[in-house]
Short mmCIF file of all heavy atoms in Angstrom, two decimals:
data_model
loop_
_atom_site.label_atom_id
_atom_site.label_comp_id
_atom_site.label_asym_id
_atom_site.label_seq_id
_atom_site.Cartn_x
_atom_site.Cartn_y
_atom_site.Cartn_z
N SER A 14 -12.49 3.53 21.30
CA SER A 14 -11.03 3.50 21.67
C SER A 14 -10.85 3.88 23.08
O SER A 14 -10.06 3.30 23.89
CB SER A 14 -10.29 4.55 20.81
OG SER A 14 -10.71 5.86 20.88
N MET A 15 -11.67 4.80 23.65
CA MET A 15 -11.55 5.16 25.08
C MET A 15 -11.98 3.97 25.90
O MET A 15 -11.32 3.70 26.96
CB MET A 15 -12.53 6.35 25.36
CG MET A 15 -12.05 7.65 24.67
SD MET A 15 -13.18 8.99 24.81
CE MET A 15 -12.82 9.50 26.51
N ALA A 16 -12.99 3.27 25.54
CA ALA A 16 -13.51 2.14 26.42
C ALA A 16 -12.43 1.01 26.38
O ALA A 16 -12.14 0.42 27.41
CB ALA A 16 -14.80 1.59 25.89
N ALA A 17 -11.95 0.67 25.16
CA ALA A 17 -11.00 -0.46 25.05
C ALA A 17 -9.72 -0.13 25.74
O ALA A 17 -9.14 -1.02 26.41
CB ALA A 17 -10.72 -0.68 23.56
N ASN A 18 -9.19 1.05 25.74
CA ASN A 18 -8.01 1.45 26.40
C ASN A 18 -8.00 1.49 27.93
O ASN A 18 -7.02 1.61 28.61
CB ASN A 18 -7.38 2.82 25.87
CG ASN A 18 -6.70 2.62 24.50
OD1 ASN A 18 -5.94 1.63 24.36
ND2 ASN A 18 -7.06 3.43 23.62
N LYS A 19 -9.19 1.24 28.47
CA LYS A 19 -9.31 1.19 29.88
C LYS A 19 -8.90 -0.22 30.39
O LYS A 19 -8.62 -0.37 31.61
CB LYS A 19 -10.75 1.42 30.32
CG LYS A 19 -11.26 2.84 30.11
CD LYS A 19 -10.67 3.72 31.11
CE LYS A 19 -11.19 5.11 31.07
NZ LYS A 19 -10.56 6.03 31.93
N ILE A 20 -8.73 -1.09 29.48
CA ILE A 20 -8.44 -2.54 29.85
C ILE A 20 -6.93 -2.87 29.72
O ILE A 20 -6.34 -2.51 28.67
CB ILE A 20 -9.28 -3.45 28.90
CG1 ILE A 20 -10.75 -3.20 29.15
CG2 ILE A 20 -8.90 -4.89 29.15
CD1 ILE A 20 -11.65 -3.75 28.05
N GLU A 21 -6.42 -3.29 30.78
CA GLU A 21 -4.91 -3.57 30.82
C GLU A 21 -4.54 -4.52 29.72
O GLU A 21 -5.16 -5.52 29.48
CB GLU A 21 -4.56 -4.21 32.16
CG GLU A 21 -3.07 -4.35 32.33
CD GLU A 21 -2.64 -4.80 33.74
OE1 GLU A 21 -3.47 -4.74 34.68
OE2 GLU A 21 -1.55 -5.28 33.97
N GLY A 22 -3.41 -4.18 29.08
CA GLY A 22 -2.89 -4.99 28.01
C GLY A 22 -3.41 -4.53 26.67
O GLY A 22 -2.94 -5.12 25.62
N ILE A 23 -4.30 -3.70 26.60
CA ILE A 23 -4.90 -3.23 25.33
C ILE A 23 -4.20 -1.97 24.88
O ILE A 23 -4.08 -0.99 25.66
CB ILE A 23 -6.47 -3.07 25.42
CG1 ILE A 23 -7.15 -4.35 25.70
CG2 ILE A 23 -7.04 -2.34 24.17
CD1 ILE A 23 -6.87 -5.40 24.61
N ARG A 24 -3.84 -1.87 23.68
CA ARG A 24 -3.34 -0.70 22.93
C ARG A 24 -4.18 -0.45 21.76
O ARG A 24 -3.94 -0.92 20.64
CB ARG A 24 -1.90 -0.87 22.59
CG ARG A 24 -0.99 -1.05 23.83
CD ARG A 24 0.49 -1.40 23.53
NE ARG A 24 0.63 -2.56 22.72
CZ ARG A 24 0.57 -3.83 23.19
NH1 ARG A 24 0.37 -4.07 24.47
NH2 ARG A 24 0.73 -4.79 22.41
N ALA A 25 -5.41 0.21 21.96
CA ALA A 25 -6.29 0.48 20.89
C ALA A 25 -5.96 1.88 20.26
O ALA A 25 -5.76 2.81 20.90
CB ALA A 25 -7.77 0.54 21.47
N ALA A 26 -5.97 1.84 18.92
CA ALA A 26 -5.54 3.05 18.22
C ALA A 26 -6.77 3.52 17.32
O ALA A 26 -7.28 2.67 16.57
CB ALA A 26 -4.33 2.87 17.41
N LEU A 27 -7.09 4.72 17.43
CA LEU A 27 -8.17 5.37 16.48
C LEU A 27 -7.48 5.79 15.23
O LEU A 27 -6.57 6.62 15.28
CB LEU A 27 -8.84 6.50 17.21
CG LEU A 27 -9.79 7.29 16.47
CD1 LEU A 27 -11.01 6.42 15.94
CD2 LEU A 27 -10.37 8.51 17.26
N CYS A 28 -7.80 5.16 14.11
CA CYS A 28 -7.22 5.54 12.87
C CYS A 28 -8.16 5.82 11.77
O CYS A 28 -9.08 5.00 11.62
CB CYS A 28 -6.30 4.35 12.36
SG CYS A 28 -4.91 3.95 13.48
N HIS A 29 -7.93 6.86 11.12
CA HIS A 29 -8.80 7.33 9.94
C HIS A 29 -8.06 7.48 8.70
O HIS A 29 -8.60 8.13 7.67
CB HIS A 29 -9.68 8.51 10.35
CG HIS A 29 -10.77 8.18 11.39
ND1 HIS A 29 -11.01 9.02 12.39
CD2 HIS A 29 -11.49 7.09 11.61
CE1 HIS A 29 -11.95 8.51 13.18
NE2 HIS A 29 -12.28 7.29 12.66
N ASP A 30 -6.80 6.95 8.68
CA ASP A 30 -5.90 7.00 7.51
C ASP A 30 -4.96 5.87 7.53
O ASP A 30 -4.70 5.31 8.63
CB ASP A 30 -5.27 8.39 7.44
CG ASP A 30 -4.33 8.68 8.63
OD1 ASP A 30 -3.20 8.13 8.65
OD2 ASP A 30 -4.81 9.36 9.57
N THR A 31 -4.41 5.53 6.45
CA THR A 31 -3.44 4.37 6.35
C THR A 31 -2.13 4.59 7.10
O THR A 31 -1.55 3.76 7.61
CB THR A 31 -3.26 3.90 4.96
OG1 THR A 31 -2.72 5.03 4.20
CG2 THR A 31 -4.47 3.43 4.29
N PHE A 32 -1.64 5.93 7.02
CA PHE A 32 -0.42 6.21 7.68
C PHE A 32 -0.45 5.97 9.16
O PHE A 32 0.44 5.36 9.76
CB PHE A 32 0.02 7.59 7.37
CG PHE A 32 1.34 8.03 8.14
CD1 PHE A 32 2.50 7.64 7.68
CD2 PHE A 32 1.27 8.71 9.33
CE1 PHE A 32 3.70 7.92 8.34
CE2 PHE A 32 2.42 9.02 10.01
CZ PHE A 32 3.63 8.64 9.56
N SER A 33 -1.51 6.41 9.81
CA SER A 33 -1.69 6.19 11.17
C SER A 33 -1.85 4.75 11.55
O SER A 33 -1.32 4.24 12.60
CB SER A 33 -2.93 6.86 11.78
OG SER A 33 -2.79 8.35 11.60
N ALA A 34 -2.48 3.96 10.71
CA ALA A 34 -2.59 2.52 10.82
C ALA A 34 -1.31 1.83 10.86
O ALA A 34 -0.97 0.93 11.59
CB ALA A 34 -3.64 1.90 9.84
N GLN A 35 -0.48 2.28 9.83
CA GLN A 35 0.83 1.62 9.72
C GLN A 35 1.72 2.05 10.91
O GLN A 35 2.41 1.14 11.52
CB GLN A 35 1.54 2.12 8.48
CG GLN A 35 2.99 1.58 8.28
CD GLN A 35 3.57 1.99 6.94
OE1 GLN A 35 2.90 2.49 6.06
NE2 GLN A 35 4.89 1.87 6.89
N ALA A 36 1.73 3.30 11.19
CA ALA A 36 2.63 3.78 12.31
C ALA A 36 2.25 3.20 13.73
O ALA A 36 3.17 2.81 14.49
CB ALA A 36 2.52 5.33 12.39
N THR A 37 0.94 2.98 13.95
CA THR A 37 0.57 2.50 15.27
C THR A 37 0.95 1.02 15.45
O THR A 37 1.21 0.53 16.52
CB THR A 37 -0.90 2.76 15.57
OG1 THR A 37 -1.06 2.60 16.94
CG2 THR A 37 -1.79 1.82 14.84
N ARG A 38 0.95 0.19 14.39
CA ARG A 38 1.41 -1.14 14.45
C ARG A 38 2.90 -1.18 14.52
O ARG A 38 3.47 -1.89 15.40
CB ARG A 38 0.97 -1.87 13.15
CG ARG A 38 -0.51 -2.25 13.16
CD ARG A 38 -0.90 -3.29 14.18
NE ARG A 38 -0.17 -4.53 13.94
CZ ARG A 38 0.44 -5.27 14.84
NH1 ARG A 38 0.44 -4.82 16.15
NH2 ARG A 38 1.09 -6.36 14.55
N GLU A 39 3.65 -0.37 13.83
CA GLU A 39 5.12 -0.37 13.78
C GLU A 39 5.71 0.15 15.05
O GLU A 39 6.66 -0.43 15.63
CB GLU A 39 5.69 0.42 12.62
CG GLU A 39 5.53 -0.19 11.34
CD GLU A 39 6.13 0.63 10.19
OE1 GLU A 39 6.46 1.88 10.41
OE2 GLU A 39 6.23 0.19 9.11
N HIS A 40 5.13 1.20 15.58
CA HIS A 40 5.72 1.87 16.71
C HIS A 40 5.09 1.58 18.04
O HIS A 40 5.74 1.63 19.11
CB HIS A 40 5.61 3.45 16.51
CG HIS A 40 6.40 3.86 15.34
ND1 HIS A 40 6.62 5.24 15.10
CD2 HIS A 40 7.06 3.31 14.40
CE1 HIS A 40 7.35 5.38 13.98
NE2 HIS A 40 7.61 4.17 13.51
N ASN A 41 3.66 1.37 18.00
CA ASN A 41 2.95 1.14 19.33
C ASN A 41 2.52 -0.27 19.54
O ASN A 41 2.03 -0.63 20.49
CB ASN A 41 1.81 2.04 19.39
CG ASN A 41 2.08 3.53 19.04
OD1 ASN A 41 1.70 3.99 18.02
ND2 ASN A 41 2.84 4.16 19.91
N ASP A 42 2.76 -1.15 18.62
CA ASP A 42 2.31 -2.52 18.60
C ASP A 42 0.82 -2.53 19.07
O ASP A 42 0.40 -3.39 19.91
CB ASP A 42 3.06 -3.36 19.57
CG ASP A 42 2.94 -4.92 19.44
OD1 ASP A 42 2.49 -5.24 18.34
OD2 ASP A 42 3.33 -5.61 20.37
N ALA A 43 0.09 -1.66 18.45
CA ALA A 43 -1.45 -1.57 18.72
C ALA A 43 -2.03 -3.01 18.44
O ALA A 43 -1.69 -3.61 17.47
CB ALA A 43 -2.07 -0.50 17.90
#
């Protein structure tokens, strides 16, 4: 996640649960 987020246009989200996976797509357009 740290490496990917260094690249412009990337919104990489570290998720270890389904709530975070849903929220990051809905709110952050990861």
Side-chain angles (χ1 to χ4, degrees):
S14 63
M15 293 173 79
N18 278 317
K19 294 286 186 184
I20 298 161
E21 187 173 344
I23 296 303
R24 293 176 304 281
L27 175 59
C28 298
H29 290 138
D30 60 82
T31 57
F32 176 78
S33 297
Q35 178 181 345
T37 199
R38 286 289 302 133
E39 286 179 350
H40 297 189
N41 309 112
D42 197 18

